[in-house]
């Protein structure tokens, strides 16, 4: 991943981020954090200050196509330090396995503890893109199965200790 100065057009910094192709990068709204993900089955959280430091690496059991940081990570009341990730088995191999073994779920991770919190099923093929709602009350996913799925968190997401 190369960081450029948009005004001068010069290279500012280069991150040796992943061992495989980088499939997505996303930033927090305040541009203080960046998440990158890759076909190497990892997502990495970076600071975007002058240091560009790796905060945490998340190792998954699937190739990743997209990852995003919750817009509630810096909420004054009840912040949600969560990351959504999605991907799955390559499309060329999908017909040879059951949908359950293709790893097509959206997975939710705690970005502080580096633990998977849970997953949300929905797609029958690799998930290509995902995005949080700006209010953090849900997310949207798009997959190679041709569907765009809109997910809404239930009340437990905001009240259960499991999701702190």
């Amino acid at each position: 991943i190369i960081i450029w100065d948009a005004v001068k057009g010069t290279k500012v910094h280069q991150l040796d981020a992943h061992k495989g192709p980088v499939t997505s990068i996303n930033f927090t709204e305040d541009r203080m954090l960046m998440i990158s993900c890759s076909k190497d089955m990892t997502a990495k959280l970076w600071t975007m200050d002058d240091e560009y430091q790796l905060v945490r690496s998340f190792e998954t059991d699937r190739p990743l196509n997209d990852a995003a940081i919750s817009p509630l990570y810096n909420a004054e009341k009840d912040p949600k330090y969560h990351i959504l990730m999605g991907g799955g088995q390559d499309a060329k191999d999908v017909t040879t396995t059951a949908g359950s073994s293709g790893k097509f779920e959206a997975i939710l991770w705690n970005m502080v503890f580096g633990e998977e919190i849970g997953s949300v099923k929905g797609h029958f093929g690799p998930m290509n893109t995902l995005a949080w709602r700006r209010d953090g009350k849900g997310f949207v996913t798009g997959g190679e199965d041709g569907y765009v799925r809109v997910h809404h968190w239930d009340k437990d997401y905001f009240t259960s200790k499991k999701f702190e």
Side-chain angles (χ1 to χ4, degrees):
I1 298 173
I2 300 173
I3 298 154
W4 295 90
D5 182 315
V7 175
K8 298 177 186 173
T10 57
K11 183 165 102 174
V12 174
H13 193 78
Q14 182 167 339
L15 303 171
D16 293 322
H18 295 277
K19 295 179 180 148
V22 174
T23 51
S24 179
I25 58 171
N26 281 297
F27 298 87
T28 54
E29 193 169 326
D30 61 9
R31 300 288 193 245
M32 296 304 295
L33 295 172
M34 176 182 76
I35 186 90
S36 63
C37 67
S38 170
K39 293 290 187 187
D40 67 6
M41 301 186 191
T42 65
K44 296 186 178 183
L45 185 65
W46 306 88
T47 62
M48 293 309 294
D49 55 12
D50 293 335
E51 300 295 319
Y52 305 106
Q53 292 181 331
L54 177 64
V55 175
R56 183 174 293 278
S57 184
F58 306 90
E59 294 185 22
T60 69
D61 59 354
R62 67 199 73 199
L64 295 173
N65 292 331
D66 206 357
I69 302 166
S70 171
L72 301 178
Y73 92 98
N74 63 351
E76 288 184 29
K77 183 182 178 201
D78 300 322
K80 296 291 183 195
Y81 303 109
H82 296 162
I83 295 173
L84 273 172
M85 302 178 212
Q89 169 188 1
D90 283 338
K92 65 180 172 41
D93 301 324
V94 170
T95 58
T96 62
T97 62
S100 60
S101 64
K103 309 283 184 190
F104 307 136
E105 305 89 4
I107 48 179
L108 184 68
W109 284 66
N110 183 299
M111 67 189 212
V112 175
F113 300 116
E115 298 172 344
E116 184 176 337
I117 298 170
S119 62
V120 178
K121 295 183 179 187
H123 288 283
F124 299 101
M127 188 182 311
N128 289 334
T129 190
L130 55 83
W132 286 91
R133 282 181 42 161
R134 290 186 69 147
D135 62 7
K137 293 183 178 180
F139 63 99
V140 178
T141 60
E144 288 188 29
D145 58 5
Y147 289 97
V148 172
R149 300 192 183 274
V150 179
H151 306 270
H152 301 277
W153 296 120
D154 62 17
K155 186 173 72 171
D156 288 347
Y157 178 74
F158 298 99
T159 59
S160 174
K161 295 283 184 195
K162 178 181 179 180
F163 299 111
E164 286 186 353

